[in-house]
Amino acid sequence: MRLSRKEQVFMALLGAAAASGLSVLILILVEATNVLLPADTKFGIVFDAGSSHTALFVYRWPADKQNNTGVVSQALACRVEGPGISSYTSEPAQAGESLQACLGEALALIPQAQHRETPMFLGATAGMRLLSRKNSSQARDIFAAVSRTLSQSPVDFQGAELLAGRDEGAFGWITINYLLGRLVQYSFSGEWIRPPEGVLAGALDLGGASTQIAFTPEGPILDESTQASFRLYGYSHSIYTHSHLCFGRDQMLARLLAGLVQSSPAALLRHPCHHSGYRTTLSLAALYESPCVQTTAPRNLTQELTIEGTGNPGACVSAIRQLFNFSSCRGREECAFNGVYQPPVQGQFYAFSNFYYTFHFLNLTSGQPLGTINATIWEFCQRPWKLVQASYPGQQRWLPDYCASGLYILTLLHEGYGFSEATWASIEFRKQAGGGDIGWTLGYMLNLTGMVPARAPAEGRAQSLLVWVAGVALVALMLVTILGAAGVQLFWPRKAGRSGLGSGSRPDPAGP
């Protein structure tokens, strides 16, 4: 059947509309694919060079959402073999070599094509802060050695840095609140909103050489040196943060022993924090190498000291209290110890690192009240050494020190930081939250890569989806309009001719 001229015009318009509509739809669907399909993954590497050991963390996130919340996840955690890098003073090159195995694991995980664009950082904390204070030349040599090793890797090494204590506490605060999703939340109405101040968690970190506390106080922060301010996701945060150098677990144990030696300068030391029946010998020379040990060293540092445990938790607590200067805060409500300003603790806290490891060993991470925790630790300290050894096989390295560590944590949190019977319940002893390890490394990487934006996150995926829907509606409207116009051109004259209008005939005078 041969088409009329008007029908040919209609078919041409229909073809043009279909072609243009199909082209626009393809472009919109390509854009929609970016919205609806999984995005490429990016990676970041952080070395945590602590006083007792180094750890590597690999983080990953969808490439199209780096400025949104809750998208960064931990892909790998690797503990470096050997001590912390501050221990390699005589052989700095080995500090760099010690990192190779964990770095190899990270490179195997990250696709080779993405190695060059993957940022890598090394942050050193209290161990290197102490070494820098004691011998800055040795500290520089170690930093140079690890930088040489890491700069030879195929990833984008951004450098090795010595973290200030305040920053270590602040980055821990960012990490825990990021992992918990408490910096910003997405409401049911489709808007990014700021969570109530009360949901922000405080951070309690106990390392080998220092301890950090960071939280949002109820009132103003009166000492600017303890204040850290951030603008995250369009909201301002002002937190209290302080790092107490020499109050980490390992340095506490060294200072405790030095104090006991000073009070009883004999070849045999009866140690109240070790279990009865425990016996060991050590050289005094190593004890006084730390800048944290400020007691007078004995004249004969070459002599070996024999230590016998007595399992006396009461005497152990008395010795631990000597490590603090509580009298300097007498009469001052907003004071921790050693004259350090601290507002009253408030809100929920997450205690990690050695806080967690010690209480996890003692089975005290289930929210037990303060009285129960105190009684449990005292009972543990009073067990004979033979019974403790039999109960915990394979844990010989740290086993003699859990009594002192447990009592020290109680003293630090209760008498030092000021947690009472009532506020103790607000402390969660945890290693992980939201699928990632709690520590300063995630907050550090987020800060250096700009992945926690100062401005509120744009609803990128939601906006792209709206654009897609609007585009589809626009194409549909365009097709209807074109087809409608073509239909009018083709069919309206025929309909009019059948009724007599426009055909040259006159209307029926007897019409309806």
Side-chain angles (χ1 to χ4, degrees):
M1 181 179 68
R2 185 175 181 179
L3 298 177
S4 67
R5 176 68 177 171
K6 290 183 178 180
E7 288 173 331
Q8 290 176 355
V9 171
F10 173 75
M11 295 303 294
L13 288 172
L14 179 62
S20 61
L22 182 61
S23 299
V24 174
L25 277 173
I26 290 174
L27 292 174
I28 292 174
L29 289 172
V30 168
E31 176 63 25
T33 301
N34 293 331
V35 177
L36 301 175
L37 293 182
D40 292 335
T41 300
K42 288 190 174 182
F43 297 87
I45 304 171
V46 183
F47 279 97
D48 174 1
S51 60
S52 59
H53 72 277
T54 300
L56 173 146
F57 296 92
V58 176
Y59 299 101
R60 62 185 169 200
W61 60 93
D64 69 335
K65 287 191 66 178
Q66 71 174 31
N67 281 338
N68 283 344
T69 184
V71 297
V72 179
S73 61
Q74 182 176 305
L76 174 68
C78 179
R79 184 184 177 109
V80 173
E81 290 293 329
I85 61 173
S86 59
S87 302
Y88 294 95
T89 52
S90 58
E91 297 175 297
Q94 290 191 6
E97 289 299 318
S98 69
L99 310 178
Q100 292 281 24
C102 281
L103 179 57
E105 289 191 34
L107 295 178
L109 173 69
I110 301 170
Q112 188 172 356
Q114 293 180 252
H115 283 178
R116 283 192 173 185
E117 63 186 56
T118 298
M120 179 168 64
F121 311 93
L122 184 142
T125 54
M128 289 298 289
R129 289 201 292 269
L130 286 175
L131 181 59
S132 297
R133 176 186 294 185
K134 177 184 176 182
N135 191 318
S136 59
S137 176
Q138 289 180 338
R140 284 194 299 269
D141 290 344
I142 290 176
F143 273 124
V146 298
S147 296
R148 279 194 301 271
T149 297
L150 297 180
S151 62
Q152 293 170 2
S153 65
V155 297
D156 183 17
F157 177 53
Q158 301 283 314
E161 180 184 8
L162 181 63
L163 266 68
R166 186 174 72 166
D167 292 339
E168 187 178 356
F171 291 140
W173 183 90
I174 292 177
T175 295
I176 183 60
N177 285 286
Y178 187 91
L179 290 173
L180 294 172
R182 297 184 181 182
L183 292 177
V184 69
Q185 294 177 351
Y186 199 64
S187 69
F188 289 110
S189 61
E191 297 178 342
W192 292 98
I193 59 173
R194 180 179 186 175
E197 285 286 345
V199 306
L200 293 171
L204 296 167
D205 185 3
L206 180 61
S210 66
T211 181
Q212 287 73 235
I213 179 172
F215 66 99
T216 306
E218 189 171 339
I221 300 172
L222 304 179
D223 184 349
E224 291 185 359
S225 68
T226 64
Q227 180 174 335
S229 298
F230 312 98
R231 186 159 179 82
L232 309 172
Y233 297 113
Y235 304 116
S236 296
H237 300 276
S238 183
I239 67 170
Y240 168 87
T241 176
H242 188 79
S243 176
H244 297 271
L245 191 60
C246 298
F247 283 85
R249 178 189 180 277
D250 298 341
Q251 294 301 324
M252 175 276 297
L253 293 172
R255 293 170 57 218
L256 176 64
L257 180 57
L260 292 170
V261 169
Q262 186 180 36
S263 62
S264 179
L268 175 63
L269 175 66
R270 298 178 65 79
H271 201 310
C273 304
H274 289 312
H275 300 271
S276 59
Y278 174 80
R279 186 182 179 97
T280 190
T281 59
L282 57 84
S283 170
L284 285 177
L287 180 62
Y288 293 91
E289 291 179 356
S290 171
C292 294
V293 178
Q294 298 178 351
T295 57
T296 304
R299 293 181 180 178
N300 186 10
L301 285 179
T302 60
Q303 81 175 66
E304 284 202 336
L305 178 68
T306 299
I307 300 174
E308 286 186 355
T310 63
N312 187 338
C316 180
V317 169
S318 297
I320 288 173
R321 283 179 177 148
Q322 298 302 311
L323 306 178
F324 299 85
N325 184 353
F326 292 122
S327 62
S328 61
C329 288
R330 191 169 297 147
R332 297 170 55 190
E333 182 180 352
E334 298 192 344
C335 186
F337 53 90
N338 290 26
V340 174
Y341 163 81
Q342 179 195 300
V345 293
Q346 68 93 30
Q348 185 185 24
F349 282 81
Y350 277 71
F352 47 96
S353 298
N354 280 316
F355 283 123
Y356 168 78
Y357 294 126
T358 300
F359 272 31
H360 175 70
F361 171 83
L362 296 169
N363 198 25
L364 294 173
T365 60
S366 302
Q368 295 96 327
L370 182 58
T372 300
I373 290 177
N374 185 61
T376 300
I377 298 175
W378 275 56
E379 187 275 329
F380 173 78
C381 292
Q382 292 172 325
R383 295 181 194 174
W385 177 239
K386 285 186 178 181
L387 177 60
V388 173
Q389 282 184 301
S391 302
Y392 304 97
Q395 302 193 43
Q396 183 68 27
R397 181 181 178 186
W398 302 114
L399 199 54
D401 298 319
Y402 278 117
C403 169
S405 297
L407 293 174
Y408 173 68
I409 288 174
L410 278 178
T411 306
L412 174 63
L413 295 179
H414 181 46
E415 300 183 53
Y417 290 153
F419 287 93
S420 64
E421 290 272 0
T423 57
W424 186 271
S426 67
I427 305 175
E428 296 268 357
F429 293 89
R430 295 288 181 266
K431 178 186 177 182
Q432 291 189 324
D437 286 35
I438 307 173
W440 59 265
T441 52
L442 176 56
Y444 181 74
M445 189 200 71
L446 293 174
N447 177 68
L448 290 180
T449 58
M451 286 178 53
V452 178
R455 302 179 64 182
E459 295 86 336
R461 293 169 74 89
Q463 289 177 347
S464 298
L465 189 58
L466 288 174
V467 169
W468 175 63
V469 172
V472 172
L474 180 62
V475 170
L477 180 62
M478 184 170 61
L479 288 172
V480 170
T481 302
I482 293 175
L483 293 175
V488 168
Q489 292 294 323
L490 182 62
F491 296 111
W492 176 255
R494 289 185 177 181
K495 183 178 179 181
R498 284 195 296 270
S499 64
L501 293 176
S503 63
S505 62
R506 304 174 73 129
D508 185 355

